[in-house]
Amino acid sequence: MDNSRTTIGIMDIGSNSIRLAIYEVTSQGEYRLINENKESARLSEKIKHDGRLELDGILEIVPILRQFNDICSQYKCREIRVAATAAIRNATNSEEIVDTLFQYTGLKVDILSGDQEAYYGFLGVVDGINVQDGFIIDIGGGSTEITLFRNREWISSVSLPIGAVNSQRKYGGDSDSWLDVNITALQNEIHELLSEHPWINTHPGLPLIGLGGSIRALGKLDQRRFKYPLPIAHHYMLERDNIEYFAQLLPSLSLAKRKRMEGLSKARADIIVPGVIILHAILQYTEAAVCLVSGTGLREGLLFETLELELPSASEVIPRQVNSLLAFHSTVQSAHLEHVHRFAEILYDAIMEDYDDESQVRKLIYVSSMLYKIGSGVRYHQYDKHTLYWLTHAPIAGLTHREIVLCAFIAGRLSGNGKGINVGDYRSLLEPSDAELIGKLGSLIEVAIALDTSETQVVEEIKVELSEETILLRLQCRSQAPLEIRGLEAAARSFKKVWKINLVWTMDSSST
């Protein structure tokens, strides 16, 4: 157990809202979000025609920052980082704003350049998604950042001076719904800005990874539209046709109708229109097929730099996420989980079947083995059911939504005793063969768990001998292992029902 945990507060003064995120961190660099607050500010709307944010506009956000600072004090944050983006960055009196905020709150505000904002968004995304290549699109209130990365390395970025709030102010007008002429004018401005950066449309087919409230809101609307069963925004896939659907629908609706849409907050009902127009225009310009919604971005990037973490490779994203979950939510000894994973791998190698994506199967085995008991953090008894609920209601960095559901059922069916798998509402996310895959991998991991029932690693090594009717496990044990024998007897019954083969074992104990 890590007793050297500390907390860090990250404040983000955006053009539309001001956000506070408080993270608990370990000495090894694992972190989790433990508090989050947001307050609408609409700073872009407060900028005067001469580009200034006057004193009364500055003072309006002082109470928000003071209370956020009080929250950080309550959580005993060892460090508070405050970053400001487009609204303050583009104000002609930005230095005056920073000085005034420091005078009234004691908080030092760092004004991020457009490139810095894009880079921190890149850090947050790459830490949370194991995509190799793509564009990151961050639609804020006063600007839109576009970043190209290849092989998980930053290549280029640009900050366009157009966002959801200032576009609404410029083109939305006083009309209840958007006029075609205003939509066209906004689209034309976006294309003019994009055309100044040729690298943006020279990588057709790369996915977009979307940040910002507009894209998250669009993801929620899409999920509600299709009655999506998984309540997770991170890594949700917005298909091109669905983005085009909302780009047509939302501008045609009155503000009152948009406010009544399920899944859309009333505070965002006006600026969702320019947000989706901007996204749609970039989607067309880049010739991207999909947009992945990212639940991590600027604030995680700022935290990432504050902790001086190394950028993970694609293969490191999932292990780092698993280690973070275990660090904060598990009392199970890591030696036991690693033992279970090792035995599950040995079993899989011995009875391996042909799968289209073997690397994905090994990924499922790893996550399910390491997190099978994460539900005991809720309550030890029936931890398998708590695990299933946990994994289907929390994002796991690096996993698609289908993979999350697969891991949840593989890890959570450990007391199923070979019964059929009822995936219920999640069926729409799975493939026809996934029920069988869940059953086979679940029973395989159940055997691996049985081999360390006592969690003492008494079974040190296993060798697997396979015949047509039997799988023989030759177990090398440190001492007698009555708990493991009982566990194997139960696991063997469900294993036979799923794999249609007998599981038997011999035990060679160095102690009698």
Side-chain angles (χ1 to χ4, degrees), residues 47 75 92 105 107 146 175 178 199 219 230 356 382 417 446:
I47 302 294
Y75 277 86
T92 56
T105 68
L107 293 168
I146 303 176
S175 176
W178 276 58
W199 56 269
L230 206 63
D356 292 337
Q382 296 187 319
N417 295 321
E446 190 172 1

Side-chain angles (χ1 to χ4, degrees), residues 28 81 89 97 139 147 156 166 172 200 234 260 275 297 303 308 312 314 348 420 452 512:
Q28 285 75 38
R81 186 160 185 184
R89 174 173 71 232
I97 297 170
I139 302 175
T147 299
S156 300
N166 58 10
I200 295 177
H234 184 67
R260 291 197 297 270
L303 175 69
E308 299 180 344
Y348 175 71
D452 195 35
T512 57

Side-chain angles (χ1 to χ4, degrees), residues 289-487:
V290 298
C291 177
L292 291 177
V293 180
S294 175
T296 57
L298 175 65
R299 289 176 295 284
E300 286 76 15
L302 289 165
L303 175 69
F304 194 90
E305 184 188 64
T306 302
L307 296 176
E308 299 180 344
L309 299 176
E310 293 185 5
L311 202 63
S313 66
S315 62
E316 292 172 334
V317 171
I318 292 175
R320 195 141 93 176
Q321 173 73 85
V322 166
N323 288 336
S324 285
L325 289 172
L326 294 174
F328 291 110
H329 304 293
S330 176
T331 58
V332 183
Q333 296 296 314
S334 60
H336 166 65
L337 299 174
E338 291 164 2
H339 216 57
V340 171
H341 175 233
R342 183 164 69 88
F343 285 165
E345 284 275 346
I346 292 172
L347 291 167
Y348 175 71
D349 287 338
I351 59 177
M352 184 172 57
E353 296 186 346
D354 291 330
Y355 290 105
D356 292 337
D357 190 347
E358 184 185 333
S359 64
Q360 183 184 64
V361 173
R362 292 189 183 278
K363 183 196 311 180
L364 299 176
I365 290 173
Y366 170 72
V367 174
S368 302
S369 299
M370 299 298 289
L371 298 182
Y372 87 91
K373 215 170 184 178
I374 197 74
S376 63
V378 178
R379 186 171 182 265
Y380 183 84
H381 296 291
Q382 296 187 319
Y383 65 77
D384 52 341
K385 293 181 174 60
H386 301 312
T387 291
L388 192 152
Y389 182 87
W390 184 306
L391 297 184
T392 51
H393 286 75
I396 298 180
L399 293 184
T400 67
H401 285 193
R402 171 178 170 257
E403 290 168 342
I404 286 174
V405 173
L406 287 172
C407 287
F409 278 90
I410 291 168
R413 67 169 301 277
L414 300 172
S415 63
N417 295 321
K419 296 178 182 177
I421 307 301
N422 179 14
V423 295
D425 293 337
Y426 301 110
R427 189 174 304 279
S428 61
L429 302 183
L430 301 177
E431 297 176 1
S433 60
D434 282 344
E436 181 181 1
L437 179 64
I438 290 168
K440 287 190 171 182
L441 295 187
S443 63
L444 184 150
I445 290 173
E446 190 172 1
V447 172
I449 293 169
L451 288 167
D452 195 35
T453 303
S454 64
E455 302 187 13
T456 62
Q457 296 77 65
V458 63
V459 179
E460 297 178 313
E461 297 293 340
I462 64 172
K463 292 183 179 179
V464 184
E465 296 179 7
L466 183 64
S467 67
E468 290 186 3
E469 297 182 354
T470 303
I471 292 178
L472 172 63
L473 304 182
R474 294 190 181 276
L475 311 180
Q476 181 66 45
C477 303
R478 187 176 62 249
S479 62
Q480 291 183 329
L483 295 181
E484 280 67 23
I485 292 173
R486 182 162 56 85

Side-chain angles (χ1 to χ4, degrees), residues 16 27 45 77 85 138 172 177 198 241 245 262 292 349 386 475:
N16 179 50
S27 57
E45 295 179 351
C77 291
T85 55
D138 186 354
S177 58
D241 289 348
Y245 167 81
E262 190 177 2
L292 291 177
D349 287 338
H386 301 312
L475 311 180

